[in-house]
Amino acid sequence: MSEQSDTPANISDKEIYYDQRSVALRTTQSICFVKEHDKTSMLGLLLNDYKQTQVVIVVKSKKKADALRALLTSKEFSATSVHGNHREEQQQDATTKFNLGELHIIITTDMILKKLALENIKLILSYDLPDVAQDYYNRLAFMKEMGVAMALVSPEDEPLLSDIESNMKKEIEEK
């Protein structure tokens, strides 16, 4: 009888870490520099490639989420906004439709994104960069490394981008 090794042959010597920073380093990311007043136009252009894809757009305010929902639905995107003004049943309904593929775009804030159990996210689009770099990494973690991340960065957002890149010790590719 041959002896078996205690170490499986298929285990890599390199350990994989799952903290947010490590996930951010392994996630495909890009940024688009754009003036604040041009973000909605750029959003429409970017989303044309993702019409039938599960997309989460993260914004800083409920008002902005509702405005983007109105804009995207007028352009025939399957989109809804989900934020703190919506009842839990509405949030759950949007989550269910998104996970079933009946709804393709959810526009939300960081606070509500944490509460939603979204699956199969293919694109996280940071319409607004978060004020805290850790929130950016948290956004990426929701994709479970199955999608890509994009961010629209205005001149006002550049200090926030600098913090994010500094914490990652890596520059994000410009698209």
Side-chain angles (χ1 to χ4, degrees):
M1 226 185 209
S2 66
E3 289 184 29
Q4 287 185 326
S5 170
D6 290 339
T7 308
N10 61 350
I11 291 183
S12 169
D13 290 338
K14 188 175 179 181
E15 192 168 343
I16 296 176
Y17 296 95
Y18 291 97
D19 61 280
Q20 278 86 9
R21 184 176 171 275
S22 297
V23 169
L25 291 172
R26 292 192 305 264
T27 302
T28 303
Q29 303 171 66
S30 63
I31 54 175
C32 298
F33 288 104
V34 61
K35 300 235 184 257
E36 188 67 36
H37 65 272
D38 291 330
K39 280 187 176 183
T40 53
S41 299
M42 180 62 79
L43 177 67
L45 292 172
L46 290 172
L47 290 179
N48 279 330
D49 293 336
Y50 294 92
K51 273 212 178 214
Q52 300 300 314
T53 304
Q54 302 312 96
V55 177
V56 174
I57 301 172
V58 187
V59 296
K60 284 187 179 177
S61 72
K62 301 174 210 176
K63 184 177 179 181
K64 195 177 288 183
D66 288 338
L68 289 178
R69 178 201 42 80
L71 172 79
L72 293 175
T73 55
S74 75
K75 295 183 182 251
E76 300 185 13
F77 284 95
S78 170
T80 194
S81 58
V82 179
H83 51 67
N85 286 356
H86 295 116
R87 292 185 320 274
E88 191 172 323
E89 298 83 30
Q90 291 172 299
Q91 294 174 11
Q92 185 57 46
D93 183 53
T95 298
T96 300
K97 287 180 179 176
F98 184 88
N99 290 344
L100 291 173
E102 297 170 8
L103 174 67
H104 296 292
I105 300 172
I106 286 188
I107 306 139
T108 192
T109 61
D110 282 304
M111 182 67 72
I112 299 301
L113 180 58
K114 293 174 188 174
K115 296 178 181 181
L116 304 176
L118 300 175
E119 300 171 2
N120 301 316
I121 301 170
K122 300 299 182 208
L123 171 66
I124 290 266
L125 199 146
S126 294
Y127 189 87
D128 297 314
L129 288 180
D131 293 329
V132 178
Q134 185 64 41
D135 288 341
Y136 177 80
Y137 307 131
N138 292 342
R139 292 176 185 182
L140 302 183
F142 289 109
M143 285 191 303
K144 300 178 179 121
E145 301 178 49
M146 296 186 307
V148 298
M150 284 193 222
L152 300 179
V153 180
S154 67
E156 298 83 12
D157 291 332
E158 288 185 30
L160 302 172
L161 175 64
S162 180
D163 286 348
I164 291 166
E165 291 178 330
S166 175
N167 285 334
M168 278 195 303
K169 296 176 178 56
K170 175 184 170 186
E171 283 188 21
I172 300 172
E173 178 185 335
E174 184 178 349
K175 185 169 182 159

